[in-house]
């Protein structure tokens, strides 16, 4: 598979003209044969490192979230509940060639618009709570299932 290969029917020019920074779009199977570059255990291992920026969000009650920043220790993960948490780890493209290669498939997005590749792992019921981002977001869903919801448009 070529490094820049995306779904054959994906039109980069149309995407940039009609969707990027304009409106959300769902594109199924954009990366043919996508395989998660890291396991959840490997991602948690990264969150133990001092040099890696990471966050752990736990929802203890409906709409009551707790945010903790890494680095973490192993007991932080062994003491987690079985549901309703999300681990987010920044800049994985700077640490793993497989993630950097995946990022290069999206070179059509101007490089000055890209900060890094964050990988998140959410168990059943996990989420980050209602929010809006002050930056562009391009999501690639890996293993598992997720219910994505969009809120109001913010400028």
């Amino acid at each position: 598979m070529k490094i820049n290969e995306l779904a054959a029917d994906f039109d980069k020019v149309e995407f940039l003209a009609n969707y990027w920074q304009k409106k959300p779009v769902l594109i199924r199977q954009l990366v043919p044969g996508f395989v998660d570059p890291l396991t959840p255990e490997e991602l948690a291992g990264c969150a133990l490192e001092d040099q890696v920026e990471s966050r752990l969000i736990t929802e203890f009650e409906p709409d009551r979230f707790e945010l903790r920043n890494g680095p973490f220790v192993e007991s932080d993960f062994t003491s987690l509940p079985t549901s309703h948490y999300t681990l987010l780890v920044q800049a994985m493209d700077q640490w793993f060639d497989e993630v950097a290669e995946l990022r290069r498939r999206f070179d059509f997005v101007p490089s000055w618009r890209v900060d890094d590749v964050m990988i998140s792992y959410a168990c059943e019921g996990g989420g980050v709570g209602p929010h809006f981002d002050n930056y562009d977001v391009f999501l690639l869903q890996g293993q598992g299932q997720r219910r994505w919801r969009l809120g109001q448009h913010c400028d």
Side-chain angles (χ1 to χ4, degrees):
M1 184 178 292
K2 295 177 185 168
I3 198 166
N4 289 322
E5 189 174 327
L6 295 174
D9 60 347
F10 177 68
D11 185 328
K12 297 172 186 176
V13 174
E14 177 190 6
F15 175 79
L16 290 173
N18 297 321
Y19 298 101
W20 184 252
Q21 297 186 307
K22 294 175 181 69
K23 59 184 175 182
V25 62
L26 171 64
I27 305 169
R28 295 186 186 280
Q29 301 299 316
L30 179 60
V31 179
F34 177 73
V35 176
D36 290 312
L38 288 124
T39 66
E41 294 79 15
E42 290 169 324
L43 190 64
C46 292
L48 303 177
E49 300 294 329
D50 289 334
Q51 306 89 344
V52 176
E53 181 183 344
S54 58
R55 300 183 301 285
L56 188 58
I57 301 171
T58 309
E59 184 179 11
F60 291 103
E61 297 173 11
D63 296 323
R64 189 172 148 243
F65 297 87
E66 176 186 274
L67 167 67
R68 293 188 296 163
N69 291 297
F72 298 101
V73 295
E74 285 188 41
S75 62
D76 289 320
F77 295 111
T78 58
S79 63
L80 284 171
T82 57
S83 66
H84 292 84
Y85 71 86
T86 301
L87 172 65
L88 303 113
V89 186
Q90 296 292 143
M92 291 290 88
D93 54 321
Q94 297 173 22
W95 297 98
F96 293 93
D97 291 339
E98 303 88 352
V99 180
E101 181 178 318
L102 180 63
R103 163 60 190 103
R104 285 190 289 274
R105 292 185 187 198
F106 299 89
D107 280 349
F108 59 90
V109 174
S111 62
W112 63 273
R113 300 293 313 181
V114 177
D115 186 26
D116 67 352
V117 176
M118 176 182 68
I119 297 179
S120 68
Y121 170 79
C123 65
E124 185 176 334
V128 296
H131 72 286
F132 70 90
D133 294 311
N134 290 314
Y135 46 83
D136 301 319
V137 176
F138 195 102
L139 301 168
L140 183 62
Q141 171 76 46
Q143 66 182 339
Q145 294 182 329
R146 183 82 173 169
R147 179 178 167 216
W148 295 100
R149 294 180 290 176
L150 298 175
Q152 69 212 36
H153 179 76
C154 300
D155 57 16

